[in-house]
C-alpha cells in the first residue's frame, strides 16, 4: 500500500494525463466549496484495479490530484489492485484513517459491500453497476454517465466517415461501456442514417496490444473510423490512416492527424459533491452518477483542435443545437445499458 505522501516519476503518458492543470481543473468547477475551506483536509484514498493512466481511472485520479493541490484533501492511492486483493486494500485504508475511499468495484461488488459494513464511519464512493442500497448507508455509487458527450461525438463521427462503416472496440459489455456506445451510435445515425457498426469487446480494461489487433481487423473489414473506448485503438487507426473518436480523455495531442473529437469525463463535480457531504456529515447511500451529466459539468466534447475547419459545418451546427438542448433539458440522450451488437 502507498503512503499518504506518495510520489514518483511516473510514465510518459501518465505525466501527460496527470501532470498539468491540477488547480486549474478544480477552479473550472467552482473552486473549493466554502464549507470546506476552513476545515482540515479530508483524508482520501484511491483504490484502482488498473494503472492511473488508464482512461477511466485517470479522471478520478486527476480530480483527486487537483483537490490535493488546492489543499482540500490529503490523497493516497494504490493502482493495479487485483480484484482478489481489493477488499484487503479497502480494509487497510479504512484502518489507517481514510475518511473517504474512492475506486471501482465492478469486479468485486459483493465482497466490497461486506467491507463497507465493517467500517460505518468511513465514506465509500465507488464505481459500480448497481444502484445505491440503504442497507449500505455509507456507500455512494457512481459511473461515468457521459452519454451526452458520446452522442455529440457520434454526430461528428458520422459526418467524417466516408464508408459509413465504423469500428467500435470496448473493454467489457457492462452498462458503463454499453450506454456510451449506444449514445455514440445514435449520434452517428444523426449524420449518417445508413451507418453500419462492427462491435467487439476485448475482455480487459487495459490491454492496448489486444485492442490494437482488434481494431486492425475492423479496418480490414472496411471501417474507416474507429470508436476508441480502449487504449490501443487510436494506434491502429494512426498506423492505417483512418480516423478515431476518443473516449473519456482527449488524446489528440498524441494522435493529431487521427483523433477527430473526444467525449470527455470530468470527475470533479462528483468528487466535490461527495467531499461536501463528508464535511457536513451527510454522506449517504446515493447515486452520484448524475454529476457526470453534461448539465452538471460532468462531461463535455473536446475542442476540435487540429481538425478545426475539417468537420462539415452542418454537423457542427447540429452539435451546437443538440448541446444547447441537452444543457437546458429540452433534449435527452437515451441511456441504453444493453449490450450493443454489430450491424
Amino acid at each position: 500500500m502507498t503512503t499518504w505522501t506518495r510520489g514518483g516519476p511516473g510514465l510518459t503518458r501518465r505525466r501527460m494525463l496527470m501532470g498539468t492543470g491540477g488547480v486549474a481543473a478544480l477552479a473550472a468547477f467552482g473552486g473549493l466549496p466554502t464549507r470546506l475551506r476552513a476545515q482540515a483536509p479530508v483524508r482520501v484514498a484511491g483504490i484502482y484495479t488498473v494503472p492511473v493512466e488508464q482512461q477511466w481511472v485517470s479522471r478520478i485520479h486527476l480530480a483527486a490530484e487537483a483537490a490535493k493541490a488546492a489543499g482540500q484533501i490529503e490523497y493516497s492511492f494504490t493502482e493495479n489492485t487485483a480484484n482478489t486483493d481489493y477488499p484487503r486494500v479497502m480494509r487497510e485504508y479504512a484502518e489507517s484513517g481514510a475518511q473517504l475511499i474512492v475506486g471501482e468495484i465492478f469486479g468485486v461488488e459483493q465482497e466490497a459491500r461486506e467491507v463497507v459494513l465493517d467500517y460505518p464511519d468511513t465514506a465509500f464512493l465507488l464505481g459500480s453497476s448497481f444502484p445505491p442500497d440503504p442497507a449500505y448507508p455509507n456507500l455512494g455509487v457512481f459511473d461515468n454517465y457521459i452519454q451526452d458527450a458520446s452522442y455529440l461525438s457520434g454526430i461528428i463521427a458520422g459526418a467524417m466517415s466516408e464508408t459509413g462503416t465504423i469500428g467500435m472496440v470496448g473493454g467489457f459489455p457492462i452498462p458503463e461501456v454499453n450506454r456510451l456506445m449506444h449514445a455514440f451510435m445514435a449520434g452517428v445515425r444523426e449524420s449518417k442514417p445508413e451507418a453500419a457498426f462492427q462491435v467487439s469487446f476485448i475482455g480487459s480494461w487495459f490491454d492496448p496490444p489486444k485492442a490494437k489487433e482488434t481494431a486492425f481487423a475492423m479496418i480490414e473489414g472496411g471501417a474507416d473510423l474507429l470508436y476508441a473506448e480502449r487504449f490501443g485503438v487510436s494506434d491502429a487507426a494512426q498506423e492505417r490512416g483512418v480516423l478515431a473518436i476518443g473516449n473519456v480523455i482527449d488524446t489528440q495531442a498524441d494522435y493529431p492527424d487521427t483523433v477527430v473529437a473526444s467525449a470527455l469525463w470530468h470527475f470533479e463535480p462528483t468528487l466535490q459533491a461527495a467531499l461536501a457531504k463528508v464535511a457536513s456529515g451527510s454522506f449517504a447511500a446515493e447515486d452520484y452518477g448524475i454529476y457526470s451529466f453534461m448539465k452538471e459539468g460532468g462531461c463535455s466534447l473536446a475542442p476540435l483542435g487540429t481538425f478545426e475547419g475539417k468537420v462539415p459545418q452542418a454537423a457542427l451546427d447540429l452539435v451546437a443545437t443538440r448541446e444547447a438542448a441537452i444543457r437546458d433539458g429540452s433534449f435527452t440522450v437515451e441511456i441504453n445499458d444493453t449490450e450493443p451488437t454489430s450491424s
Side-chain angles (χ1 to χ4, degrees), residues 3-217:
T3 66
W4 293 100
T5 57
R6 173 169 181 153
L11 303 173
T12 300
R13 186 182 296 274
R14 181 174 303 177
R15 288 197 296 271
M16 182 272 288
L17 292 175
M18 315 301 167
T20 60
V23 177
L26 184 60
F29 293 93
L32 203 61
T34 302
R35 66 168 62 91
L36 295 180
R37 290 172 186 161
Q39 300 186 17
V42 176
R43 299 186 77 179
V44 176
I47 311 174
Y48 311 120
T49 61
V50 293
V52 291
E53 66 263 28
Q54 187 259 10
Q55 299 107 299
W56 196 88
V57 161
S58 75
R59 307 312 289 177
I60 303 172
H61 183 68
L62 180 63
E65 288 286 8
K68 176 183 175 181
Q72 185 179 4
I73 68 173
E74 294 178 18
Y75 175 53
S76 179
F77 68 93
T78 298
E79 58 187 331
N80 291 314
T81 305
N83 285 331
T84 52
D85 287 336
Y86 208 95
R88 175 185 59 79
V89 179
M90 289 175 67
R91 291 182 185 280
E92 289 181 1
Y93 272 127
E95 293 285 351
S96 70
Q99 295 167 273
L100 174 65
I101 294 176
V102 300
E104 8 82 64
I105 56 170
F106 299 103
V108 62
E109 296 277 5
Q110 187 54 48
E111 296 89 341
R113 283 169 171 74
E114 292 172 4
V115 175
V116 165
L117 289 178
D118 289 340
Y119 298 93
D121 295 329
T122 303
F124 294 85
L125 179 64
L126 302 172
S128 170
S129 295
F130 293 91
D133 185 342
Y136 306 93
N138 55 325
L139 172 59
V141 297
F142 69 89
D143 211 336
N144 61 325
Y145 283 86
I146 64 169
Q147 66 280 344
D148 299 329
S150 296
Y151 167 81
L152 297 180
S153 72
I155 294 175
I156 293 174
M160 295 298 285
S161 173
E162 295 181 2
T163 68
T165 299
I166 293 176
M168 307 181 68
V169 181
F172 293 92
I174 66 171
E176 67 146 333
V177 175
N178 298 343
R179 73 177 65 105
L180 305 188
M181 285 188 164
H182 279 295
F184 173 79
M185 294 162 78
V188 168
R189 293 188 182 106
E190 291 272 24
S191 296
K192 196 170 258 62
E194 72 282 8
F197 300 91
Q198 300 176 40
V199 180
S200 184
F201 298 92
I202 63 172
S204 173
W205 291 131
F206 196 74
D207 191 343
K210 188 172 183 179
K212 184 176 181 179
E213 289 302 316
T214 303
F216 278 147

Side-chain angles (χ1 to χ4, degrees), residues 216-281:
F216 278 147
M218 291 180 172
I219 296 170
E220 291 170 3
D224 71 341
L225 188 144
L226 301 173
Y227 176 73
E229 201 270 330
R230 293 292 100 196
F231 278 151
V233 177
S234 293
D235 294 290
Q238 180 175 253
E239 289 186 24
R240 296 295 171 85
V242 304
L243 301 176
I245 297 292
N247 178 60
V248 176
I249 63 174
D250 185 1
T251 58
Q252 193 184 77
D254 285 348
Y255 310 97
D257 300 318
T258 302
V259 175
V260 182
S262 298
L264 307 182
W265 182 30
H266 307 293
F267 191 70
E268 286 81 1
T270 303
L271 181 60
Q272 291 301 312
L275 289 174
K277 292 186 178 185
V278 169
S280 66

